[in-house]
Amino acid sequence: MQNLVSNFFIYNSTGRIISGDQDSNEYSNLAKQIDAKRNALYFELMENNTVLILGCSVRVEQVGGREERIVCIGIYSDFRCHEYKVIKEFYERVTVEIKDIQKFEYRLIGLWEENDLENFGNLQEIDINEKITEYIYGKLVANEKVSIKSKNSLVAVLIINSIFQKLQGFLEYDFKFTTSQYPYETDISICPIEPNPDFELDEPDLNWKESPVYSDYYLILSEVFQERSTEIINNIQLKNRDSLSFYAKNSAFKLYRTEVLNVFSTSQSMNKLFDLYKRDKDVLKESFKERSDQIQSMTIEDELTVVDIIIEICCQQIVSNYPFSDHSPSEDASLKSLFFKIKSKKLKKKLDIRLLDNNIFFSYTIKDVISGIYSNKDTELLHNLCRVEFKANDRGKEKFKEFVNSALSTYQDTQLTQLLKFISNSIEPPPSKGGQIFHDFIKTLLYTHASDFTSKLSTKEAKSLDSYFGTNYSAQKINKITNKGKRILTFVPYILFFCLFIATLVFLLMPDNPSDGGLLDSANKSFTVNTTSGTTPLTVQFFDNTTNATEWKWDIDGDGITEYFEKYPVHTYYESGIYNVSLTTLDDNNMSLSDTVTVIVKDKTYTE
């Protein structure tokens, strides 16, 4: 190693430097980390594999028997991955440097166990099962962590040393390997308490007890990498591990498609396939064709990935099929099963919106959108549905109309009317064709049921719908009010005559000294109003007279729909008519009380 520029530092467990450049605190935090994890070996290749950092935590004993831990760190600059004996020589220097510390007379104890460091002076390359090397190679190519369970510090270091020597062609990238008593999130982590190890190794022959899950896939990746190593090394676009991983996994699927799909042949394994190829939608599309049965019965672990996959696959189907089929892809059973497996309402809404934005229509997604608009009063879903537009001869329009009609057909008249009211109060831009279709089916269903829905719309709501959809709801409301007024005026003479007759009869039959208490005191009503009659527009103040009420429900026009929930509402009547106002209150004991008052509103034009 004569050509290597090397710096060597020794720190105590608190990160204070003991030996080396006394002004250097650059590696103080790393020293504390190595000590906390009890590293037998810390191996980090960085700066495009030109700098190698080696470290270890060593048990030592001072004169007098006091035991403590110190950390040794070696920095090797201008490293070119050709020094396969660098780990062995690092431990030799650890022994020498500790003995040469002049401030303390340390006796070296070991790394994890007493005297285990003595074996490291003769560190030799060991025979490692070829499949183990290829498996580790494959996981590193996939940019995944390799975790190994081992209680023997020598075996752990031997693994790193052997892997380091065998992976020379792959060491063009930054890596971090660790052997420690506590787990690391590093490229290779070897630890006695590794929670989910790929395999366990405690014997010098380094044979795994049983093959790890999906080991055949990682062996394929390793083979692909080695077959195309020259191409990869010369490709400037593959100089980071993410791009390398994508390239290698894509190549493995193209070259060994049958073998890869056979590895992931069960429903339980499909999530692993999704995770491996979540950035490669072409592969996932092929997997959908080959493994549709497994997909339908799989359990989703990563819902976000599934949402992205559904969107990507649908969009790709459109691009590949257009213009020879409907704009939307067919309702594939595996896609449908994935949709209903998504439990997150937020993610399902995201999927609904993305599909609408791309004019992708399924019966179950349109139904889900309309349900969200009605149940959650979701303006975002409403706006996206109303923004749907179609090009000339777009056959997706017929599917959209069919699915909207099918979804709305399950709603009652009162629900459809509430949808109309919500549209009128929530829609912002003038709706596109999708919004027109949505509204027209609501209107058609209500007319088909002969529903008197226009009376449920306020004047403002009717005018809003008229301006957006070219309807005549406002005129219909005026006609109904006018006809109702005319009917009332027809009976006025008869009503007046009847009232006069009753008044006369009461006067004639009334005794000379009527008893007290014959009149109803307004204080006995649960609520009062500042006026009960007047001309349009008539503003009425309502006063609740109850005590201990906690909830108020005011129906100010007798249509059965609650308009106000506060204690003292104010309402303005713009149309003439006779309105039966009702108040229902609820107290702390869940006792309810209801009462009504009649408000008569006359049309100002008639009074004039």
Side-chain angles (χ1 to χ4, degrees):
M1 299 201 320
Q2 292 87 353
N3 295 328
L4 294 180
V5 178
S6 176
N7 291 317
F8 198 91
F9 307 99
I10 300 178
Y11 297 85
N12 67 10
S13 58
T14 65
R16 184 171 62 84
I17 194 161
I18 297 174
S19 176
D21 185 349
Q22 297 299 313
D23 295 328
S24 176
N25 292 314
E26 183 178 356
Y27 301 100
S28 175
N29 288 331
L30 176 60
K32 288 189 284 187
Q33 175 185 315
I34 290 174
D35 177 74
K37 293 287 189 177
R38 300 293 190 263
N39 279 98
L41 176 62
Y42 177 92
F43 178 109
E44 183 175 9
L45 190 60
M46 55 191 295
E47 297 182 15
N48 296 323
N49 64 69
T50 61
V51 176
L52 174 65
I53 300 177
L54 297 179
C56 65
S57 175
V58 184
R59 292 168 57 193
V60 294
E61 182 182 74
Q62 290 190 19
V63 175
R66 180 173 176 271
E67 184 177 313
E68 60 183 83
R69 302 193 73 91
I70 59 175
V71 175
C72 298
I73 296 178
I75 311 299
Y76 303 89
S77 303
D78 196 27
F79 188 73
R80 289 291 179 266
C81 303
H82 304 304
E83 302 293 336
Y84 65 90
K85 295 182 179 180
V86 64
I87 295 178
K88 173 179 177 292
E89 295 187 12
F90 168 72
Y91 286 109
E92 291 175 351
R93 187 162 181 180
V94 166
T95 303
V96 172
E97 292 285 347
I98 291 177
K99 291 180 179 179
D100 287 347
I101 297 176
Q102 297 180 357
K103 296 180 183 179
F104 309 95
E105 293 183 10
Y106 284 133
R107 181 182 74 85
L108 195 153
I109 298 176
L111 296 169
W112 291 353
E113 299 176 355
E114 189 166 357
N115 299 323
D116 59 0
L117 193 55
E118 294 180 1
N119 300 318
F120 286 51
N122 297 317
L123 198 64
Q124 301 292 331
E125 181 180 355
I126 57 173
D127 290 331
I128 184 169
N129 184 300
E130 190 63 26
K131 280 194 173 183
I132 292 179
T133 305
E134 298 300 320
Y135 174 82
I136 294 174
Y137 215 131
K139 290 210 80 175
L140 294 177
V141 169
N143 204 8
E144 294 183 23
K145 172 186 175 180
V146 181
S147 58
I148 304 171
K149 187 174 182 179
S150 178
K151 299 177 182 178
N152 188 308
S153 61
L154 176 61
V155 169
V157 174
L158 284 173
I159 294 169
I160 298 296
N161 189 57
S162 180
I163 294 298
F164 167 63
Q165 294 177 41
K166 290 181 179 294
L167 301 185
Q168 291 293 315
F170 191 46
L171 294 177
E172 295 290 326
Y173 304 90
D174 293 351
F175 286 100
K176 187 183 293 185
F177 305 151
T178 55
T179 64
S180 57
Q181 291 189 324
Y182 302 98
Y184 262 98
E185 285 300 317
T186 53
D187 297 293
I188 300 178
S189 175
I190 307 175
C191 173
I193 56 173
E194 193 69 48
N196 297 299
D198 291 284
F199 47 84
E200 297 183 35
L201 293 174
D202 275 324
E203 301 300 330
D205 58 2
L206 298 184
N207 284 302
W208 54 31
K209 297 178 181 178
E210 57 181 338
S211 300
V213 181
Y214 312 122
S215 58
D216 288 344
Y217 174 77
Y218 294 107
L219 294 177
I220 292 172
L221 274 186
S222 175
E223 183 176 346
V224 168
F225 180 86
Q226 293 178 70
E227 287 176 353
R228 301 197 169 189
S229 58
T230 303
E231 176 185 342
I232 291 170
I233 291 172
N234 295 330
N235 191 333
I236 191 67
Q237 296 180 347
L238 301 179
K239 291 306 180 184
N240 67 74
R241 291 182 63 193
D242 281 339
S243 58
L244 168 69
S245 172
F246 183 92
Y247 172 84
K249 289 187 285 190
N250 180 272
S251 299
F253 191 86
K254 289 179 179 178
L255 294 171
Y256 301 97
R257 184 170 178 273
T258 302
E259 291 84 349
V260 170
L261 287 173
N262 285 340
V263 174
F264 307 100
S265 59
T266 66
S267 300
Q268 292 78 9
S269 64
M270 289 308 299
N271 273 297
K272 181 62 177 178
L273 181 66
F274 275 35
D275 184 60
L276 284 165
Y277 289 98
K278 58 187 174 185
R279 293 174 51 219
D280 196 335
K281 304 306 186 297
D282 288 333
V283 169
L284 288 173
K285 190 175 84 170
E286 292 300 314
S287 302
F288 261 74
K289 294 178 182 178
E290 299 289 337
R291 293 286 181 260
S292 59
D293 292 341
Q294 290 85 342
I295 288 171
Q296 290 181 57
S297 56
M298 71 182 285
T299 301
I300 292 181
E301 296 174 2
D302 184 350
E303 292 190 349
L304 179 59
T305 297
V306 169
V307 167
D308 291 337
I309 289 168
I310 292 175
I311 293 168
E312 187 69 25
I313 289 175
C314 290
C315 291
Q316 285 187 347
Q317 286 184 12
I318 290 171
V319 172
S320 61
N321 293 334
Y322 188 81
F324 302 107
S325 66
D326 289 339
H327 187 72
S328 287
S330 59
E331 295 204 359
D332 182 88
S334 55
L335 280 177
K336 185 175 182 179
S337 69
L338 285 179
F339 179 84
F340 286 105
K341 291 176 189 293
I342 299 171
K343 303 304 180 184
S344 167
K345 293 182 180 179
K346 184 177 179 181
L347 287 177
K348 186 169 281 189
K349 176 181 171 179
K350 173 188 174 183
L351 175 58
D352 286 336
I353 291 174
R354 291 281 299 279
L355 293 175
L356 286 175
D357 288 347
N358 288 278
N359 278 40
I360 299 171
F361 313 123
F362 299 117
S363 60
Y364 49 90
T365 60
I366 296 297
K367 184 177 181 180
D368 191 62
V369 168
I370 294 176
S371 174
I373 293 172
Y374 174 76
S375 303
N376 304 322
K377 299 296 183 285
D378 196 313
T379 56
E380 187 178 8
L381 283 175
L382 174 66
H383 293 158
N384 279 273
L385 181 69
C386 290
R387 279 203 304 265
V388 171
E389 192 56 279
F390 301 97
K391 297 179 181 178
N393 302 320
D394 190 340
R395 284 174 286 179
K397 178 180 177 181
E398 296 307 314
K399 276 192 174 183
F400 182 82
K401 292 172 68 174
E402 175 190 345
F403 297 153
V404 169
N405 185 33
S406 175
L408 289 174
S409 297
T410 62
Y411 285 71
Q412 302 297 320
D413 288 356
T414 54
Q415 296 172 313
L416 293 171
T417 303
Q418 289 176 25
L419 272 172
L420 267 185
K421 291 170 74 71
F422 180 65
I423 293 172
S424 67
N425 290 310
S426 304
I427 195 169
E428 292 176 355
S432 297
K433 194 61 181 177
Q436 188 73 51
I437 292 171
F438 180 47
H439 162 267
D440 288 351
F441 273 119
I442 295 175
K443 179 183 71 173
T444 301
L445 287 168
L446 287 169
Y447 278 137
T448 302
H449 302 161
S451 175
D452 183 21
F453 64 92
T454 54
S455 62
K456 307 299 182 184
L457 300 174
S458 69
T459 302
K460 180 182 177 183
E461 291 167 345
K463 289 181 178 178
S464 175
L465 291 170
D466 288 348
S467 66
Y468 284 130
F469 302 105
T471 52
N472 60 346
Y473 295 138
S474 299
Q476 292 179 48
K477 282 183 65 65
I478 293 172
N479 289 335
K480 288 179 180 178
I481 293 171
T482 301
N483 292 334
K484 185 176 181 180
K486 289 179 179 178
R487 289 196 299 273
I488 292 173
L489 289 174
T490 301
F491 290 101
V492 165
Y494 300 101
I495 295 171
L496 290 175
F497 176 79
F498 179 76
C499 291
L500 181 61
F501 172 77
I502 295 297
T504 303
L505 185 63
V506 170
F507 177 78
L508 292 174
L509 297 177
M510 183 182 296
D512 293 336
N513 297 311
S515 60
D516 294 335
L519 298 176
L520 176 64
D521 187 355
S522 63
N524 293 328
K525 302 288 286 185
S526 65
F527 72 97
T528 54
V529 295
N530 66 335
T531 180
T532 58
S533 64
T535 59
T536 58
L538 177 64
T539 300
V540 181
Q541 170 73 65
F542 299 92
F543 302 90
D544 170 41
N545 296 330
T546 61
T547 58
N548 301 324
T550 59
E551 293 184 17
W552 300 267
K553 295 182 179 180
W554 296 87
D555 176 6
I556 51 86
D557 53 9
D559 62 355
I561 298 175
T562 300
E563 280 81 17
Y564 299 101
F565 295 90
E566 61 264 33
K567 187 172 184 179
Y568 302 119
V570 177
H571 182 77
T572 300
Y573 294 90
Y574 292 96
E575 287 91 20
S576 60
I578 299 175
Y579 298 94
N580 293 318
V581 182
S582 64
L583 168 65
T584 302
T585 60
L586 189 69
D587 62 17
D588 292 331
N589 297 317
N590 290 325
M591 298 293 291
S592 64
L593 177 66
S594 300
D595 208 345
T596 59
V597 166
T598 301
V599 176
I600 300 175
V601 183
K602 301 176 183 178
D603 196 322
K604 190 172 184 180
T605 57
Y606 291 126
T607 60
E608 293 176 350

